[in-house]
Amino acid sequence: MFADPPTGYMENSVSYSAIEDVQLLSWENAPKYCLQLTIPGGTVLLQAANSYLRDQWFHSLQWKKKIYKYKKVLSNPSRWEVVLKEIRTLVDMALTSPLQDDSINQAPLEIVSKLLSENTNLTTQEHENIIVAIAPLLENNHPPPDLCEFFCKHCRERPRSMVVIEVFTPVVQRILKHNMDFGKCPRLRLFTQEYILALNELNAGMEVVKKFIQSMHGPTGHCPHPRVLPNLVAVCLAAIYSCYEEFINSRDNSPSLKEIRNGCQQPCDRKPTLPLRLLHPSPDLVSQEATLSEARLKSVVVASSEIHVEVEPASTAKPALTASVGNDSEPNLIDCLMVSPACSTMSIELGPQADRTLGCYVEILKLLSDYDDWRPSLASLLQPIPFPKEALAHEKFTKELKYVIQRFAEDPRQEVHSCLLSVRAGKDGWFQLYSPGGVACDDDGELFASMVHILMGSCYKTKKFLLSLAENKLGPCMLLALRGNQTMVEILCLMLEYNIIDNNDTQLQIISTLESTGVGKRMYEQLCDRQRELKELDADLARLLSSGSFGNLENLSLAFTNVTSACAEHLIKLPSLKQLNLWSTQFGDAGLRLLSEHLTMLQVLNLCETPVTDAGLLALSSMKSLCSLNMNSTKLSADTYEDLKAKLPNLKEVDVRYTEAW
């Protein structure tokens, strides 16, 4: 239909289906940059501003016309050999089109996807022929959702088909390298998941999967594709979750988290609870120690957050649980895994397919942890414990995952081994789960000792970490020290040296434990010698500084000594002092107030892990020369920190980690 008047804008649109032909005007004296559309009843001329725009219109109209034709032909298939030929022609047209647009390749894929979804009675060979025909389009394009569903079905039904290796491999590689968010396209993740399971069904099984992971990482020591690891981990987490979906869906029939926490499962019409296993009983750790009397064994308490398990020598003793009943907050992970005694005889049993899936994807996590460049990111991704509680209660899962945790514990990089701890206070981390008394602990504390050893190297929070061990894991530490574990002996000595333990009876138990082994006795004697020397330090320092020969001293370090605020009276006699290190001393608020009045030239002050509070720190606002101040692991508040920043104009370096102001 022509527009009326014959020039200008068209009053009515022309449908693509009505276009019979599209031609470039090329005769002599023809209007410049025009297209001629042939429609029923006449022609329409379209004039563009330049030749490039005219050509774009021409190819776009041709493309739309042909796509409409193929949609019509393929919507009513009669003979599949003809359909296959049309699909190949459609693919060739998309590959040879001069147009540069994502829809050029996506449109044929969507047509084929719709064709397959509407014709479910195709033979396997017809499936494979169609997949091979559209393979060239998949080299640079993600398959649409419905096509992913079709690919998943093929992977499940014919995992040994050559199509899986030859066609799907580059498609999955592209997905893992370029996908940014599986949340927006979950079927891509499901297709990747089913593809890996199909590889695992081949004769070589995990060896094929291992080679695939190696191909994704690359031959060098650093993977050039930053999205590969997060995408692989996302696929692993989803697959592992699916293994326990049956148990997760039945949570409505299990006790609530609050009931589990309070240990008060009321008799009702509930179905049997989820088959979760209890916390590992701690008597196994202590029953073999001949050096401890029966009374002492009974007094050992293994603590995990707010749950305490009292260790008794009798094998029939039941763990005594105590919890904060009045707290309505969400219980932590170990709380949730502590269930009623009725569940202690039950265990999670996965079906054969779920069991194979679990084994495959846990093995992939183990493979990922073997790559040095991937380990920091992997540790960070797994730090929040992104697995359902049913998986953590499954002995096979935690036993297999232990290899990954060991790799984290062996890595000297702080960014890796620090991920063994919880993401935030009040939540359990891998350290708690694999510690003696934790739900995942299946050894005599070897992994626990390894984790403690590497975490103690993160000295920026040593004192805080020791305090946590004393509150929650003192029993296991003492038991492992009795077996001669040097790391645990060092831990107990440090607890005594830093005055972590306030209770005199507990201190005597620790001393008795140390004196029960050769290595413990030797290290305790060394500790006693150091303590005797340190007690004289204040007096020695006073005598040293009162000699009058240090008036020009500019740098003084008293770190890791037992000096107190009493030495401040002698430090103020050093008017030229510019740098003072009091890290991990007993220097307090009274000393700070005295220093702030006299040491006006002080530029660098380290108060890390000292007992100072806001009362003393506020006095530092008068020390205008300060340019570096370390208040890490002190009782600094956010308000005091803001006040200091406002009143100390030269302050350039500040460390407030592990304080309220952090």
Side-chain angles (χ1 to χ4, degrees):
M1 180 184 297
F2 284 102
D4 186 22
T7 60
Y9 294 101
M10 299 179 65
E11 294 180 354
N12 300 306
S13 61
V14 177
S15 64
Y16 289 109
S17 59
I19 299 175
E20 298 175 352
D21 192 20
V22 182
Q23 292 182 351
L24 294 171
L25 294 187
S26 57
W27 65 80
E28 189 176 353
N29 298 324
K32 292 183 67 176
Y33 315 132
C34 279
L35 292 179
Q36 178 178 289
L37 308 185
T38 302
I39 59 176
T43 60
V44 176
L45 295 181
L46 299 179
Q47 187 172 28
N50 51 59
S51 60
Y52 173 79
L53 185 58
R54 178 202 61 192
D55 293 343
Q56 289 291 305
W57 285 358
F58 175 70
H59 294 299
S60 297
L61 289 168
Q62 278 194 326
W63 168 257
K64 285 287 188 179
K65 185 172 176 293
K66 290 179 180 178
I67 282 293
Y68 177 78
K69 169 199 164 186
Y70 284 113
K71 281 183 178 179
K72 189 174 182 180
V73 170
L74 296 176
S75 62
N76 296 302
S78 54
R79 294 189 307 165
W80 280 101
E81 58 270 18
V82 175
V83 169
L84 186 60
K85 183 179 178 181
E86 293 291 343
I87 290 175
R88 288 172 179 156
T89 307
L90 176 61
V91 170
D92 289 339
M93 183 188 70
L95 294 174
T96 57
S97 173
L99 298 173
Q100 300 295 320
D101 191 275
D102 291 340
S103 62
I104 300 301
N105 290 323
Q106 282 295 328
L109 292 175
E110 290 171 0
I111 291 174
V112 174
S113 177
K114 183 179 180 182
L115 173 69
L116 293 171
S117 64
E118 293 176 351
N119 296 271
T120 58
N121 57 346
L122 299 179
T123 65
T124 302
Q125 189 59 49
E126 288 170 338
H127 278 176
E128 294 195 355
N129 290 338
I130 293 174
I131 293 173
V132 172
I134 63 174
L137 290 179
L138 297 172
E139 292 179 3
N140 297 305
N141 299 275
H142 289 339
D146 289 340
L147 203 55
C148 285
E149 199 75 43
F150 173 69
F151 289 170
C152 288
K153 181 181 178 183
H154 192 81
C155 287
R156 286 191 294 266
E157 295 179 355
R158 297 207 64 193
R160 297 173 182 268
S161 166
M162 290 306 297
V163 166
V164 173
I165 299 293
E166 296 178 357
V167 178
F168 290 167
T169 297
V171 179
V172 173
Q173 287 177 332
R174 187 180 187 281
I175 292 172
L176 291 174
K177 289 177 182 177
H178 300 289
N179 176 67
M180 298 301 294
D181 185 5
F182 277 131
K184 295 179 180 177
C185 39
R187 292 188 186 179
L188 284 180
R189 190 263 307 153
L190 186 61
F191 167 48
T192 306
Q193 179 180 325
E194 293 293 346
Y195 165 79
I196 293 176
L197 288 176
L199 294 185
N200 193 44
E201 292 294 326
L202 300 177
N203 291 334
M206 279 308 301
E207 282 301 314
V208 181
V209 176
K210 184 176 181 180
K211 289 180 180 178
F212 174 73
I213 299 297
Q214 289 173 343
S215 71
M216 295 308 306
H217 180 275
T220 62
H222 184 78
C223 178
H225 303 286
R227 291 301 308 166
V228 169
L229 178 67
N231 285 334
L232 278 173
V233 172
V235 171
C236 289
L237 295 180
I240 291 171
Y241 182 91
S242 70
C243 296
Y244 300 94
E245 204 156 8
E246 177 185 350
F247 301 95
I248 294 169
N249 291 337
S250 63
R251 280 181 183 173
D252 292 339
N253 295 320
S254 62
S256 69
L257 298 183
K258 187 175 180 182
E259 287 175 331
I260 292 173
R261 181 187 181 95
N262 297 336
C264 57
Q265 184 178 2
Q266 300 295 332
C268 60
D269 296 332
R270 294 186 190 275
K271 296 179 182 179
T273 58
L274 283 177
L276 306 180
R277 60 188 174 87
L278 283 172
L279 218 60
H280 289 295
S282 297
D284 294 341
L285 288 175
V286 297
S287 59
Q288 302 173 4
E289 306 300 336
T291 55
L292 287 181
S293 64
E294 182 175 328
R296 185 177 298 173
L297 274 171
K298 194 168 183 177
S299 66
V300 176
V301 173
V302 180
S304 176
S305 189
E306 296 183 15
I307 292 181
H308 304 280
V309 181
E310 185 175 353
V311 177
E312 299 185 7
S315 60
T316 58
K318 294 181 180 179
L321 307 181
T322 63
S324 177
V325 177
N327 190 357
D328 291 332
S329 62
E330 183 77 0
N332 64 26
L333 185 58
I334 291 182
D335 290 341
C336 297
L337 292 168
M338 294 293 293
V339 297
S340 63
C343 298
S344 61
T345 59
M346 305 173 71
S347 62
I348 289 180
E349 293 292 340
L350 300 179
Q353 181 58 42
D355 195 63
R356 285 195 299 272
T357 300
L358 179 68
C360 174
Y361 281 98
V362 174
E363 194 65 31
I364 290 176
L365 289 176
K366 292 159 74 172
L367 291 173
L368 298 180
S369 69
D370 285 334
Y371 289 95
D372 288 341
D373 61 316
W374 275 351
R375 204 174 300 128
S377 296
L378 178 63
S380 177
L381 290 169
L382 297 187
Q383 185 180 14
I385 312 185
F387 300 103
K389 63 181 182 180
E390 288 77 8
L392 299 173
H394 188 197
E395 187 171 3
K396 178 180 179 180
F397 173 74
T398 55
K399 188 173 182 179
E400 291 296 322
L401 193 67
K402 183 178 179 180
Y403 177 86
V404 178
I405 306 305
Q406 283 176 325
R407 297 294 284 159
F408 295 164
E410 293 166 359
D411 197 302
R413 291 171 292 184
Q414 181 186 318
E415 59 183 321
V416 177
H417 61 248
S418 63
C419 291
L420 294 169
L421 299 173
S422 59
V423 177
R424 60 184 183 274
K427 297 294 181 181
D428 289 312
W430 294 114
F431 177 76
Q432 284 79 16
L433 264 65
Y434 280 90
S435 298
V439 293
C441 183
D442 63 349
D443 56 24
D444 290 335
E446 289 84 359
L447 178 56
F448 172 65
S450 177
M451 290 190 291
V452 170
H453 177 76
I454 196 72
L455 289 169
M456 282 300 294
S458 303
C459 58
Y460 63 87
K461 58 187 304 184
T462 296
K463 200 167 184 178
K464 190 173 183 180
F465 184 58
L466 285 172
L467 187 61
S468 174
L469 286 178
E471 291 176 351
N472 301 317
K473 299 295 178 184
L474 182 57
C477 289
M478 293 173 64
L479 295 172
L480 290 169
L482 278 171
R483 293 180 178 149
N485 186 286
Q486 187 166 342
T487 298
M488 293 305 162
V489 170
E490 292 175 2
I491 291 293
L492 295 182
C493 288
L494 286 172
M495 287 180 180
L496 295 175
E497 185 173 2
Y498 290 172
N499 296 321
I500 299 294
I501 307 298
D502 295 327
N503 186 281
N504 289 333
D505 291 338
T506 306
Q507 288 180 359
L508 291 175
Q509 282 187 348
I510 291 176
I511 294 171
S512 176
T513 300
L514 291 172
E515 291 180 337
S516 298
T517 63
V519 62
K521 188 173 183 180
R522 183 177 68 255
M523 295 186 70
Y524 179 64
E525 290 174 352
Q526 293 172 355
L527 171 63
C528 292
D529 292 340
R530 288 199 305 274
Q531 293 287 359
R532 281 191 293 270
E533 295 171 358
L534 289 172
K535 284 181 180 179
E536 303 173 0
L537 186 58
D538 273 336
D540 291 342
L541 183 63
R543 286 194 296 272
L544 181 66
L545 297 179
S546 63
S547 65
S549 58
F550 294 94
N552 295 323
L553 186 66
E554 294 186 354
N555 192 335
L556 177 62
S557 177
L558 300 173
F560 303 101
T561 67
N562 274 358
V563 295
T564 64
S565 294
C567 74
E569 296 180 2
H570 307 286
L571 293 175
I572 62 176
K573 298 176 183 178
L574 303 173
S576 300
L577 200 61
K578 294 182 179 179
Q579 298 184 30
L580 179 59
N581 189 349
L582 296 170
W583 187 358
S584 196
T585 64
Q586 298 303 311
F587 201 87
D589 293 335
L592 272 188
R593 284 192 287 267
L594 194 57
L595 293 184
S596 65
E597 295 174 6
H598 296 83
L599 299 184
T600 56
M601 296 181 65
L602 197 64
Q603 298 176 1
V604 179
L605 179 59
N606 190 342
L607 298 171
C608 180
E609 293 186 345
T610 57
V612 295
T613 66
D614 286 345
L617 292 169
L618 280 171
L620 298 179
S621 59
S622 63
M623 304 179 76
K624 305 299 183 183
S625 297
L626 273 179
C627 57
S628 177
L629 181 58
N630 189 337
M631 297 176 285
N632 186 324
S633 302
T634 63
K635 295 180 180 179
L636 171 72
S637 69
D639 292 339
T640 298
Y641 177 49
E642 293 299 324
D643 186 71
L644 288 174
K645 285 196 300 181
K647 294 181 178 179
L648 296 175
N650 295 319
L651 199 60
K652 295 180 177 63
E653 297 180 5
V654 187
D655 188 347
V656 294
R657 288 176 296 172
Y658 309 104
T659 67
E660 184 185 313
W662 189 28

